[in-house]
Amino acid sequence: MVRAVQVLATTSLALSSAGSPQSFGPTLDSARKNGLQIFNAVHNAMRQFGSSLQHNGMSLFPAVIPEGVLLYHGTHTREVPEGFEWLAFEIEHAENFARGRWRRPNDTDRKPHLGMNMPLQVADEPHDRPPFEPGEGHLHIYQAERPLNVLYIDGTSAGKTDMGTVDTQDILLAGNRSHKPMDDWRRAEDLCALAQKWKIDGFIRMEPGFEVIYCDFTNGLRLVSANKRPGMDEPGSVDDMWIVSFEWARAAAQRYNDIGSSRVLLDYSSVVSAFFYPINLTNPDPKRPELPRLVAATSEEMDVVREHVARSMARSVSSGQAPVDWQGVTDMVVTRYSKRLPLMAQTDSIEILRGEVNGLLNIYIDYAETDEGFVAARRRCAEFYLQPVQVRTPEDKLIYAAFENTTATICETLFEARRLVVEDPDVDETVAVAAVNRIIHDLMETLRWSDWKECGPCQPDEVCFVAMWPMGDVEDHYNPTCRNITDIAGRHNYWRFPGRTPGHRPPPSLSPVDHVSKNEEL
């Protein structure tokens, strides 16, 4: 059985334990300490729903967009962009920008910048020119001519907020703490300078839908078509912007659980995460402690992590080995427990609790052996879904340690529930049931799995609506629900933009148990 062990000296990355005299670097202790966050980062990778809920991403995944994948670009011209620009994975995402011309920093009438991304004016721009000029638009369709090597930046990394959504880009990758959240053009310039140095094609980010900052449109892409869109007042135009926004949200919702058709292949075995390091990830906003930030990290620490990303990216591009499907491991764990835990947290039947506990734990117990305190059974429980894993890279070892911490947390709680309702035949049933309800509820609050926030089936004119920058109110973040086009219109007070305070958190937010119960009633 594979075990999380100290990395051999021959590997390209040294791991150390807390208190080690080694210089700053990733540690197994940090991976264990942040195990729940690492588990969720892998589980939510390239999944719109979980990445919207846990929007301050701290992890970077080398990835490949396979040859043949179609990508979309909305702009004001038929011309192929010179230099970098934005590509969307969804048609509606790009169509939203095929409506005219978005001005860029240092824009002049003689040198138009093409644009699918939506920058607002930055502080040093003239304010007498509007950032958007209505006019004819074009939808470009591109096809990957070869496998495209990209770096996926997790979370809502295309969300231009000061809440921490761009920390990994500005503070970690670019080493530039002066970027304004809306200054996406200069952010892309910095990232593409890094891409040129690392010999990769671009970066995947997420807003409502996934996008690519693609750094050189003349390399790796084939233009399939560049069709003119109808003008705002022409037949064929969708001139109701609320319909456009609703369909954009619907398209993003189709990718809540998967990007679809293997359009992006993540190298989980080469992921680099701030959670691997003994970094201070405290959020300076005391009201949002659940959202990690990099603002307290030192520049020297970020230099080390950035170099780790560079090495990991280079190894991923040159490696011929298949990575461990760590997301598949998370799926096995989540599907095993995600329906059973809410039932155990709310049932008032001790018989149901006994049945669920025994059903979950008997696979790990050998009733023929003497196992005081179920020490061996607890170990088997924690390691069960890690058994097929063949650890290959230093990052695999870190993920293994993180996942083992997560499964051990689940198993310890379940064995405590077993002690309360199975092992004592004379137990006060009411007291025991209440105690199990409480510890399972607390476990769910600790795990914070996005599955427990899902809406359930919606009507054809509705979408399961979670706050996705720049859309969504506060309650849409904490309690996503089915909404129609009328409900969605004008909802955006969750997100904090420079100079604007977001809405207040609704008191109280539904707990995972309450949210599951609510949506099962729909």
Side-chain angles (χ1 to χ4, degrees), residues 110-171:
R110 290 177 297 174
K111 187 181 178 184
H113 287 285
L114 318 179
M116 198 196 81
N117 203 39
M118 193 168 46
L120 300 186
Q121 287 176 305
V122 293
D124 58 348
E125 273 192 307
H127 288 276
D128 57 348
R129 293 190 310 178
F132 178 71
E133 297 176 358
E136 67 179 33
H138 293 79
L139 180 70
H140 295 204
I141 303 176
Y142 293 90
Q143 188 170 35
E145 287 191 310
R146 56 171 172 78
L148 308 176
N149 295 305
V150 294
L151 184 68
Y152 165 54
I153 306 168
D154 77 338
T156 303
S157 48
K160 274 70 79 177
T161 79
D162 63 0
M163 300 164 73
T165 51
V166 293
D167 277 7
T168 47
Q169 294 163 82
D170 292 349
I171 299 175

Side-chain angles (χ1 to χ4, degrees), residues 157-215:
S157 48
K160 274 70 79 177
T161 79
D162 63 0
M163 300 164 73
T165 51
V166 293
D167 277 7
T168 47
Q169 294 163 82
D170 292 349
I171 299 175
L172 197 166
L173 290 176
N176 188 334
R177 297 173 188 255
S178 66
H179 279 156
K180 302 296 190 294
M182 294 302 301
D183 196 358
D184 218 32
W185 184 261
R186 294 189 179 96
R187 180 173 296 114
E189 283 184 322
D190 284 350
L191 291 177
C192 283
L194 205 57
Q196 185 176 23
K197 179 180 178 182
W198 291 350
K199 295 181 173 57
I200 63 174
D201 296 301
F203 301 84
I204 296 178
R205 310 188 308 176
M206 192 197 81
E207 49 182 16
F210 290 90
E211 67 178 25
V212 185
I213 297 176
Y214 200 81
C215 296

